[in-house]
Amino acid sequence: MDLARTEVRPRKGVRNAAARLGLMAVPVAFFAVFFAYPVAAIVARGLKTDGTWQFGRITDVLSQSDIRHVLWFTTWQALVSTTLTLLVALPGAYVFARFDFPGKQILRAVVTVPFVLPTVVVGTAFLALVGRGGLLDEWWGVRLDTTVWAILLAHVFFNYAVVVRTVGGLWAQLDPRQEEAARMLGASRLRAWRTVTLPALGPAVAAAALMVFLFTFTSFGVVQILGGPTFSTLEVEIYRQTSEIFDLSTAAVLTLIQFVAVGAVLALHAWTVRRRETALRLVDESLTARRPRGAGEWGLLAGVVGSVAVLLVLPLAVLVQRSLGAADFGYYRALTHSDGGVFLVAPIEAVGNSLEYALAATAIAVVIGGLAAAALTRRDAGRFVRGFDALLMLPLGVSAVTVGFGFLISLDEPPLDLRQSWILVPLAQALVGVPFVVRTMLPVLRAVDHRLREAAAVLGASPWRVWREVDLPMVRRALLIAAGFAFAVSLGEFGATVFIARPDNPTLPVAVARLLGRAGDLNYGQAMALSTILMVVCAVALLVLERLRTDRTGEF
């Protein structure tokens, strides 16, 4: 019997290693070709002179006081923005996870819409609220533009949905009876939540905090518009050094600094979260969501709705109001005409382009992210696989300017000459979507009791059947949320797309940025009109997703 066991275990280990390598092959190849290679190419071009590496340039750049100030402000505002976002959005995550109330699906879509808006539009919307001639200036004579508060509020506006959907997605599936059992044993409501629910939510909260930090650490449009000359992040400085000063050497050094900073954050995240992951009892959301009870719960719901109205809906309403500033929908009618200058086609065609690109990017992100998440879930994952968990998040922390320029200078020769191919834009958008797919699916996949998989395998089920019969029913909801996130971020991706989208096929964010960069009320009004269209398209897509996600009459 012992001899038989020693013969079976090596075979099982070989099969597990082969399955793990098979799952990782496609994601590794994708990130190597479309992320590592382009970024390395542009860094090498900036730090190489006549074939010689100029590493001394790193010390020269770091010795500059203005660069050190940029580094300090980038880190400080990212930490504060992440903390504020968690404080404001966690009550919303609880409300969406545990309460069932009229208009919940619509409100969930409204919460997600700000996340897909280009950052330049977010900055413009808040400028209309807190800047000269804005609502606060008109009503109370208060201006917050060129202050750090405008930047922090805009970051909360932009990242609210990340916390609500990432944490709420897992919270909705936690069995509430575990907390109820603790209360029956004498624990108070707060202690039961702190000792039972909070540890279970730890990985999801950490994942949401990580994504918010990376987005705010690399903030570009918001800081450039609201910060003025006073505040600058690494992303803004990289853009300035690249496109205004044409100093690729300094831009390359700043890109490397981002790599080091983001890598340290990801390593810390992986080290802490892996120690808190446990198998959880997951149930269907329909068994946990209920009508609010008592004045406290109704008050919490009202508070969340009120915060959403002030922080999220009000800026969106300003965009709609500005888009309707011309008589007879003049700004919208102007979108159907090409001016023959900046746009080779009518700006309205950007709607169709964005939808096509976003659907293709979503398909790529779901496949790549799903394979990566499945590999990272395996209990026998080695150090290489666990390290790749952190590397998957790097696209969120690397300058989009660097990625966009990297695509242009690296994917320009056979067999990877993609400069004229339509697939180049979805590939760039999928790079940003994959981390969301992985971070959304991974907490749920790791929460599935591995003994269920082992029991199915003992009964003769193939790995594919184990996935279909055990994992898929439990992660189907997370998969839909992940697809929705990938679609949303693809619609709003701007940093890399602006460099590779062709003039005759602009996306909505690129078209908005081009209109905002031109003087005149007509151009500004058209930018607001296109932004409103982007909001509507996103809201419709998210409502469809919510209907599919909550439809329990059939399989998805």
Side-chain angles (χ1 to χ4, degrees), residues 81-132:
S81 296
T82 302
T83 302
L84 287 177
T85 303
L86 289 174
L87 291 176
V88 174
L90 281 177
Y94 174 80
V95 165
F96 281 107
R98 293 305 197 200
F99 292 167
D100 186 17
F101 52 90
K104 179 178 178 179
Q105 294 183 20
I106 296 177
L107 189 62
R108 195 195 300 266
V110 169
V111 164
T112 309
V113 167
F115 185 70
V116 306
L117 293 178
T119 54
V120 291
V121 176
V122 174
T124 303
F126 271 82
L127 193 63
L129 284 175
V130 303
R132 177 179 298 176

Tab-separated table of all heavy atoms in Angstrom, residues 81-132:
chain	number	residue	atom	x	y	z
A	81	SER	N	-6.049	59.423	-0.725
A	81	SER	CA	-7.179	59.131	-1.613
A	81	SER	C	-7.708	57.726	-1.372
A	81	SER	O	-8.932	57.507	-1.352
A	81	SER	CB	-6.754	59.288	-3.076
A	81	SER	OG	-6.403	60.619	-3.379
A	82	THR	N	-6.814	56.763	-1.180
A	82	THR	CA	-7.235	55.384	-0.929
A	82	THR	C	-7.987	55.279	0.387
A	82	THR	O	-9.041	54.620	0.473
A	82	THR	CB	-6.015	54.453	-0.907
A	82	THR	OG1	-5.319	54.552	-2.159
A	82	THR	CG2	-6.436	53.013	-0.685
A	83	THR	N	-7.478	55.936	1.425
A	83	THR	CA	-8.144	55.900	2.734
A	83	THR	C	-9.529	56.526	2.659
A	83	THR	O	-10.509	55.955	3.168
A	83	THR	CB	-7.287	56.626	3.776
A	83	THR	OG1	-5.994	56.020	3.845
A	83	THR	CG2	-7.943	56.571	5.142
A	84	LEU	N	-9.651	57.696	2.043
A	84	LEU	CA	-10.948	58.353	1.914
A	84	LEU	C	-11.929	57.512	1.111
A	84	LEU	O	-13.118	57.407	1.458
A	84	LEU	CB	-10.780	59.728	1.266
A	84	LEU	CG	-10.161	60.833	2.119
A	84	LEU	CD1	-10.001	62.105	1.300
A	84	LEU	CD2	-11.033	61.101	3.350
A	85	THR	N	-11.447	56.905	0.035
A	85	THR	CA	-12.326	56.086	-0.796
A	85	THR	C	-12.863	54.895	-0.018
A	85	THR	O	-14.055	54.560	-0.100
A	85	THR	CB	-11.585	55.606	-2.048
A	85	THR	OG1	-11.081	56.731	-2.768
A	85	THR	CG2	-12.515	54.819	-2.961
A	86	LEU	N	-12.016	54.236	0.756
A	86	LEU	CA	-12.476	53.108	1.565
A	86	LEU	C	-13.499	53.554	2.611
A	86	LEU	O	-14.527	52.888	2.816
A	86	LEU	CB	-11.285	52.434	2.249
A	86	LEU	CG	-10.334	51.636	1.343
A	86	LEU	CD1	-9.135	51.147	2.149
A	86	LEU	CD2	-11.059	50.461	0.700
A	87	LEU	N	-13.236	54.666	3.289
A	87	LEU	CA	-14.159	55.149	4.316
A	87	LEU	C	-15.522	55.498	3.726
A	87	LEU	O	-16.565	55.216	4.334
A	87	LEU	CB	-13.558	56.370	5.017
A	87	LEU	CG	-12.338	56.114	5.893
A	87	LEU	CD1	-11.789	57.432	6.435
A	87	LEU	CD2	-12.685	55.176	7.045
A	88	VAL	N	-15.520	56.099	2.551
A	88	VAL	CA	-16.781	56.519	1.939
A	88	VAL	C	-17.502	55.352	1.272
A	88	VAL	O	-18.738	55.269	1.327
A	88	VAL	CB	-16.522	57.648	0.919
A	88	VAL	CG1	-17.792	58.000	0.151
A	88	VAL	CG2	-15.981	58.886	1.628
A	89	ALA	N	-16.758	54.434	0.653
A	89	ALA	CA	-17.379	53.413	-0.191
A	89	ALA	C	-17.719	52.119	0.538
A	89	ALA	O	-18.609	51.385	0.081
A	89	ALA	CB	-16.462	53.111	-1.373
A	90	LEU	N	-17.058	51.786	1.644
A	90	LEU	CA	-17.369	50.526	2.329
A	90	LEU	C	-18.821	50.458	2.818
A	90	LEU	O	-19.453	49.400	2.707
A	90	LEU	CB	-16.393	50.299	3.488
A	90	LEU	CG	-15.010	49.769	3.094
A	90	LEU	CD1	-14.104	49.650	4.310
A	90	LEU	CD2	-15.138	48.407	2.401
A	91	PRO	N	-19.393	51.542	3.379
A	91	PRO	CA	-20.835	51.478	3.684
A	91	PRO	C	-21.675	51.205	2.442
A	91	PRO	O	-22.681	50.481	2.514
A	91	PRO	CB	-21.129	52.869	4.269
A	91	PRO	CG	-19.823	53.332	4.814
A	91	PRO	CD	-18.793	52.808	3.874
A	92	GLY	N	-21.291	51.755	1.301
A	92	GLY	CA	-22.007	51.468	0.065
A	92	GLY	C	-21.882	50.009	-0.334
A	92	GLY	O	-22.842	49.404	-0.829
A	93	ALA	N	-20.698	49.415	-0.155
A	93	ALA	CA	-20.517	47.998	-0.456
A	93	ALA	C	-21.441	47.141	0.403
A	93	ALA	O	-22.034	46.159	-0.081
A	93	ALA	CB	-19.057	47.605	-0.241
A	94	TYR	N	-21.588	47.495	1.683
A	94	TYR	CA	-22.486	46.752	2.572
A	94	TYR	C	-23.941	46.883	2.126
A	94	TYR	O	-24.689	45.893	2.084
A	94	TYR	CB	-22.330	47.256	4.002
A	94	TYR	CG	-23.317	46.640	4.967
A	94	TYR	CD1	-23.101	45.370	5.478
A	94	TYR	CD2	-24.468	47.323	5.358
A	94	TYR	CE1	-23.999	44.790	6.359
A	94	TYR	CE2	-25.378	46.756	6.232
A	94	TYR	CZ	-25.141	45.488	6.733
A	94	TYR	OH	-26.043	44.914	7.591
A	95	VAL	N	-24.343	48.092	1.785
A	95	VAL	CA	-25.733	48.316	1.366
A	95	VAL	C	-26.056	47.518	0.112
A	95	VAL	O	-27.092	46.849	0.026
A	95	VAL	CB	-25.978	49.823	1.135
A	95	VAL	CG1	-27.275	50.051	0.364
A	95	VAL	CG2	-26.022	50.551	2.467
A	96	PHE	N	-25.175	47.544	-0.883
A	96	PHE	CA	-25.435	46.811	-2.114
A	96	PHE	C	-25.361	45.301	-1.902
A	96	PHE	O	-26.028	44.541	-2.610
A	96	PHE	CB	-24.443	47.227	-3.201
A	96	PHE	CG	-24.778	48.531	-3.854
A	96	PHE	CD1	-24.042	49.665	-3.582
A	96	PHE	CD2	-25.849	48.628	-4.738
A	96	PHE	CE1	-24.348	50.879	-4.184
A	96	PHE	CE2	-26.164	49.836	-5.341
A	96	PHE	CZ	-25.420	50.965	-5.061
A	97	ALA	N	-24.570	44.848	-0.935
A	97	ALA	CA	-24.415	43.417	-0.708
A	97	ALA	C	-25.549	42.836	0.130
A	97	ALA	O	-26.014	41.720	-0.142
A	97	ALA	CB	-23.076	43.136	-0.023
A	98	ARG	N	-26.034	43.577	1.129
A	98	ARG	CA	-26.953	43.002	2.103
A	98	ARG	C	-28.397	43.496	1.975
A	98	ARG	O	-29.307	42.846	2.496
A	98	ARG	CB	-26.458	43.305	3.518
A	98	ARG	CG	-25.169	42.620	3.914
A	98	ARG	CD	-25.239	41.131	3.742
A	98	ARG	NE	-24.194	40.423	4.459
A	98	ARG	CZ	-23.792	39.200	4.199
A	98	ARG	NH1	-24.363	38.541	3.198
A	98	ARG	NH2	-22.833	38.615	4.884
A	99	PHE	N	-28.619	44.628	1.313
A	99	PHE	CA	-29.961	45.196	1.245
A	99	PHE	C	-30.569	44.982	-0.131
A	99	PHE	O	-29.873	45.000	-1.148
A	99	PHE	CB	-29.956	46.689	1.564
A	99	PHE	CG	-29.622	47.007	2.999
A	99	PHE	CD1	-29.306	48.307	3.380
A	99	PHE	CD2	-29.610	46.017	3.970
A	99	PHE	CE1	-28.995	48.603	4.692
A	99	PHE	CE2	-29.298	46.312	5.285
A	99	PHE	CZ	-28.993	47.605	5.648
A	100	ASP	N	-31.868	44.789	-0.136
A	100	ASP	CA	-32.640	44.708	-1.371
A	100	ASP	C	-33.667	45.832	-1.332
A	100	ASP	O	-34.495	45.883	-0.422
A	100	ASP	CB	-33.326	43.342	-1.490
A	100	ASP	CG	-34.017	43.162	-2.830
A	100	ASP	OD1	-33.703	43.927	-3.768
A	100	ASP	OD2	-34.879	42.264	-2.948
A	101	PHE	N	-33.608	46.734	-2.296
A	101	PHE	CA	-34.486	47.902	-2.277
A	101	PHE	C	-34.817	48.301	-3.711
A	101	PHE	O	-34.085	47.952	-4.649
A	101	PHE	CB	-33.810	49.069	-1.547
A	101	PHE	CG	-32.428	49.398	-2.054
A	101	PHE	CD1	-32.229	50.317	-3.089
A	101	PHE	CD2	-31.306	48.782	-1.501
A	101	PHE	CE1	-30.966	50.605	-3.548
A	101	PHE	CE2	-30.026	49.073	-1.969
A	101	PHE	CZ	-29.865	49.986	-2.994
A	102	PRO	N	-35.916	49.023	-3.915
A	102	PRO	CA	-36.291	49.438	-5.273
A	102	PRO	C	-35.217	50.311	-5.906
A	102	PRO	O	-34.636	51.175	-5.259
A	102	PRO	CB	-37.589	50.228	-5.046
A	102	PRO	CG	-38.127	49.739	-3.740
A	102	PRO	CD	-36.927	49.416	-2.906
A	103	GLY	N	-34.949	50.070	-7.182
A	103	GLY	CA	-33.957	50.853	-7.902
A	103	GLY	C	-32.526	50.441	-7.639
A	103	GLY	O	-31.594	51.159	-8.015
A	104	LYS	N	-32.307	49.275	-7.042
A	104	LYS	CA	-30.961	48.848	-6.689
A	104	LYS	C	-30.096	48.661	-7.930
A	104	LYS	O	-28.942	49.090	-7.962
A	104	LYS	CB	-31.028	47.544	-5.886
A	104	LYS	CG	-29.666	46.994	-5.483
A	104	LYS	CD	-29.829	45.723	-4.659
A	104	LYS	CE	-28.476	45.136	-4.278
A	104	LYS	NZ	-28.614	43.905	-3.450
A	105	GLN	N	-30.643	48.032	-8.978
A	105	GLN	CA	-29.862	47.795	-10.189
A	105	GLN	C	-29.494	49.100	-10.872
A	105	GLN	O	-28.365	49.278	-11.358
A	105	GLN	CB	-30.637	46.894	-11.143
A	105	GLN	CG	-30.857	45.484	-10.608
A	105	GLN	CD	-31.560	44.594	-11.622
A	105	GLN	OE1	-31.556	44.874	-12.813
A	105	GLN	NE2	-32.171	43.520	-11.156
A	106	ILE	N	-30.422	50.033	-10.913
A	106	ILE	CA	-30.135	51.330	-11.541
A	106	ILE	C	-29.072	52.067	-10.748
A	106	ILE	O	-28.130	52.648	-11.312
A	106	ILE	CB	-31.420	52.167	-11.652
A	106	ILE	CG1	-32.421	51.479	-12.579
A	106	ILE	CG2	-31.105	53.569	-12.150
A	106	ILE	CD1	-33.748	52.201	-12.685
A	107	LEU	N	-29.203	52.060	-9.402
A	107	LEU	CA	-28.223	52.748	-8.570
A	107	LEU	C	-26.845	52.112	-8.704
A	107	LEU	O	-25.828	52.811	-8.708
A	107	LEU	CB	-28.670	52.724	-7.110
A	107	LEU	CG	-27.850	53.585	-6.142
A	107	LEU	CD1	-27.936	55.053	-6.532
A	107	LEU	CD2	-28.336	53.389	-4.707
A	108	ARG	N	-26.785	50.785	-8.836
A	108	ARG	CA	-25.504	50.113	-9.008
A	108	ARG	C	-24.836	50.550	-10.312
A	108	ARG	O	-23.630	50.762	-10.385
A	108	ARG	CB	-25.682	48.589	-8.996
A	108	ARG	CG	-24.382	47.821	-8.814
A	108	ARG	CD	-24.561	46.359	-9.178
A	108	ARG	NE	-25.566	45.721	-8.368
A	108	ARG	CZ	-25.313	45.049	-7.244
A	108	ARG	NH1	-24.087	44.959	-6.802
A	108	ARG	NH2	-26.293	44.474	-6.569
A	109	ALA	N	-25.650	50.689	-11.377
A	109	ALA	CA	-25.103	51.155	-12.657
A	109	ALA	C	-24.623	52.597	-12.547
A	109	ALA	O	-23.567	52.955	-13.084
A	109	ALA	CB	-26.152	51.026	-13.760
A	110	VAL	N	-25.388	53.446	-11.821
A	110	VAL	CA	-24.992	54.844	-11.642
A	110	VAL	C	-23.659	54.925	-10.908
A	110	VAL	O	-22.795	55.756	-11.243
A	110	VAL	CB	-26.082	55.614	-10.871
A	110	VAL	CG1	-25.591	56.991	-10.447
A	110	VAL	CG2	-27.336	55.750	-11.731
A	111	VAL	N	-23.462	54.061	-9.919
A	111	VAL	CA	-22.227	54.061	-9.150
A	111	VAL	C	-21.024	53.713	-10.038
A	111	VAL	O	-19.928	54.252	-9.851
A	111	VAL	CB	-22.345	53.060	-7.982
A	111	VAL	CG1	-20.976	52.735	-7.400
A	111	VAL	CG2	-23.246	53.619	-6.893
A	112	THR	N	-21.227	52.845	-11.025
A	112	THR	CA	-20.125	52.384	-11.858
A	112	THR	C	-19.798	53.342	-12.984
A	112	THR	O	-18.662	53.359	-13.477
A	112	THR	CB	-20.446	50.990	-12.430
A	112	THR	OG1	-20.844	50.130	-11.365
A	112	THR	CG2	-19.240	50.373	-13.120
A	113	VAL	N	-20.757	54.144	-13.423
A	113	VAL	CA	-20.544	55.036	-14.570
A	113	VAL	C	-19.327	55.940	-14.388
A	113	VAL	O	-18.523	56.086	-15.322
A	113	VAL	CB	-21.814	55.861	-14.854
A	113	VAL	CG1	-21.521	57.008	-15.806
A	113	VAL	CG2	-22.900	54.967	-15.448
A	114	PRO	N	-19.118	56.595	-13.225
A	114	PRO	CA	-17.950	57.488	-13.109
A	114	PRO	C	-16.626	56.806	-13.391
A	114	PRO	O	-15.683	57.441	-13.873
A	114	PRO	CB	-18.017	57.976	-11.653
A	114	PRO	CG	-19.455	57.874	-11.293
A	114	PRO	CD	-19.950	56.650	-11.998
A	115	PHE	N	-16.543	55.504	-13.122
A	115	PHE	CA	-15.277	54.811	-13.272
A	115	PHE	C	-14.837	54.704	-14.729
A	115	PHE	O	-13.645	54.579	-15.018
A	115	PHE	CB	-15.375	53.419	-12.654
A	115	PHE	CG	-14.074	52.669	-12.667
A	115	PHE	CD1	-13.028	53.065	-11.859
A	115	PHE	CD2	-13.898	51.583	-13.499
A	115	PHE	CE1	-11.830	52.384	-11.878
A	115	PHE	CE2	-12.703	50.893	-13.524
A	115	PHE	CZ	-11.669	51.296	-12.702
A	116	VAL	N	-15.790	54.721	-15.674
A	116	VAL	CA	-15.424	54.557	-17.080
A	116	VAL	C	-15.161	55.894	-17.756
A	116	VAL	O	-14.744	55.925	-18.913
A	116	VAL	CB	-16.514	53.789	-17.856
A	116	VAL	CG1	-16.831	52.479	-17.187
A	116	VAL	CG2	-17.776	54.623	-18.011
A	117	LEU	N	-15.427	56.989	-17.078
A	117	LEU	CA	-15.190	58.282	-17.698
A	117	LEU	C	-13.697	58.542	-17.838
A	117	LEU	O	-12.922	58.227	-16.934
A	117	LEU	CB	-15.825	59.397	-16.865
A	117	LEU	CG	-17.341	59.426	-16.797
A	117	LEU	CD1	-17.798	60.557	-15.882
A	117	LEU	CD2	-17.955	59.591	-18.175
A	118	PRO	N	-13.265	59.105	-18.953
A	118	PRO	CA	-11.854	59.501	-19.069
A	118	PRO	C	-11.490	60.471	-17.944
A	118	PRO	O	-12.309	61.306	-17.530
A	118	PRO	CB	-11.787	60.181	-20.440
A	118	PRO	CG	-12.962	59.648	-21.194
A	118	PRO	CD	-14.021	59.399	-20.180
A	119	THR	N	-10.279	60.366	-17.460
A	119	THR	CA	-9.883	61.209	-16.337
A	119	THR	C	-9.934	62.694	-16.691
A	119	THR	O	-10.176	63.522	-15.808
A	119	THR	CB	-8.466	60.839	-15.877
A	119	THR	OG1	-7.567	60.892	-16.996
A	119	THR	CG2	-8.430	59.441	-15.292
A	120	VAL	N	-9.723	63.023	-17.973
A	120	VAL	CA	-9.818	64.430	-18.352
A	120	VAL	C	-11.249	64.943	-18.196
A	120	VAL	O	-11.477	66.108	-17.846
A	120	VAL	CB	-9.331	64.636	-19.799
A	120	VAL	CG1	-7.843	64.419	-19.893
A	120	VAL	CG2	-10.065	63.735	-20.785
A	121	VAL	N	-12.226	64.070	-18.427
A	121	VAL	CA	-13.626	64.461	-18.257
A	121	VAL	C	-13.951	64.606	-16.773
A	121	VAL	O	-14.677	65.530	-16.366
A	121	VAL	CB	-14.563	63.438	-18.927
A	121	VAL	CG1	-16.024	63.789	-18.679
A	121	VAL	CG2	-14.284	63.364	-20.424
A	122	VAL	N	-13.417	63.681	-15.946
A	122	VAL	CA	-13.634	63.779	-14.501
A	122	VAL	C	-13.061	65.095	-13.986
A	122	VAL	O	-13.715	65.820	-13.212
A	122	VAL	CB	-12.981	62.590	-13.773
A	122	VAL	CG1	-13.083	62.766	-12.259
A	122	VAL	CG2	-13.633	61.279	-14.192
A	123	GLY	N	-11.853	65.432	-14.412
A	123	GLY	CA	-11.261	66.685	-13.986
A	123	GLY	C	-12.068	67.887	-14.431
A	123	GLY	O	-12.270	68.839	-13.669
A	124	THR	N	-12.581	67.846	-15.665
A	124	THR	CA	-13.388	68.955	-16.175
A	124	THR	C	-14.699	69.083	-15.413
A	124	THR	O	-15.156	70.203	-15.118
A	124	THR	CB	-13.680	68.753	-17.678
A	124	THR	OG1	-12.437	68.626	-18.381
A	124	THR	CG2	-14.449	69.924	-18.245
A	125	ALA	N	-15.319	67.951	-15.090
A	125	ALA	CA	-16.581	67.985	-14.345
A	125	ALA	C	-16.382	68.627	-12.976
A	125	ALA	O	-17.187	69.463	-12.537
A	125	ALA	CB	-17.148	66.570	-14.199
A	126	PHE	N	-15.311	68.254	-12.275
A	126	PHE	CA	-15.066	68.841	-10.961
A	126	PHE	C	-14.622	70.290	-11.076
A	126	PHE	O	-14.871	71.088	-10.167
A	126	PHE	CB	-14.037	68.005	-10.198
A	126	PHE	CG	-14.653	66.906	-9.384
A	126	PHE	CD1	-15.001	65.709	-9.972
A	126	PHE	CD2	-14.915	67.081	-8.043
A	126	PHE	CE1	-15.593	64.694	-9.243
A	126	PHE	CE2	-15.510	66.084	-7.290
A	126	PHE	CZ	-15.847	64.880	-7.897
A	127	LEU	N	-13.969	70.635	-12.168
A	127	LEU	CA	-13.628	72.033	-12.369
A	127	LEU	C	-14.893	72.876	-12.509
A	127	LEU	O	-14.966	74.008	-12.015
A	127	LEU	CB	-12.759	72.179	-13.617
A	127	LEU	CG	-12.053	73.527	-13.809
A	127	LEU	CD1	-11.072	73.765	-12.675
A	127	LEU	CD2	-11.364	73.568	-15.163
A	128	ALA	N	-15.918	72.305	-13.160
A	128	ALA	CA	-17.192	73.004	-13.277
A	128	ALA	C	-17.902	73.119	-11.933
A	128	ALA	O	-18.724	74.026	-11.720
A	128	ALA	CB	-18.101	72.276	-14.275
A	129	LEU	N	-17.558	72.232	-11.008
A	129	LEU	CA	-18.181	72.281	-9.681
A	129	LEU	C	-17.427	73.215	-8.731
A	129	LEU	O	-18.043	74.015	-8.019
A	129	LEU	CB	-18.217	70.871	-9.074
A	129	LEU	CG	-19.267	69.901	-9.607
A	129	LEU	CD1	-19.067	68.532	-8.976
A	129	LEU	CD2	-20.668	70.412	-9.317
A	130	VAL	N	-16.102	73.118	-8.712
A	130	VAL	CA	-15.325	73.794	-7.677
A	130	VAL	C	-14.417	74.896	-8.203
A	130	VAL	O	-13.753	75.575	-7.419
A	130	VAL	CB	-14.474	72.766	-6.894
A	130	VAL	CG1	-15.340	71.689	-6.290
A	130	VAL	CG2	-13.404	72.143	-7.804
A	131	GLY	N	-14.373	75.085	-9.524
A	131	GLY	CA	-13.491	76.092	-10.095
A	131	GLY	C	-14.164	77.443	-10.246
A	131	GLY	O	-15.276	77.686	-9.760
A	132	ARG	N	-13.474	78.367	-10.926
A	132	ARG	CA	-14.006	79.701	-11.151
A	132	ARG	C	-15.272	79.612	-11.999
A	132	ARG	O	-15.286	79.013	-13.064
A	132	ARG	CB	-12.969	80.573	-11.859
A	132	ARG	CG	-13.466	81.966	-12.202
A	132	ARG	CD	-12.380	82.792	-12.880
A	132	ARG	NE	-11.230	82.970	-11.989
A	132	ARG	CZ	-10.111	83.595	-12.362
A	132	ARG	NH1	-9.979	84.065	-13.585
A	132	ARG	NH2	-9.111	83.722	-11.490
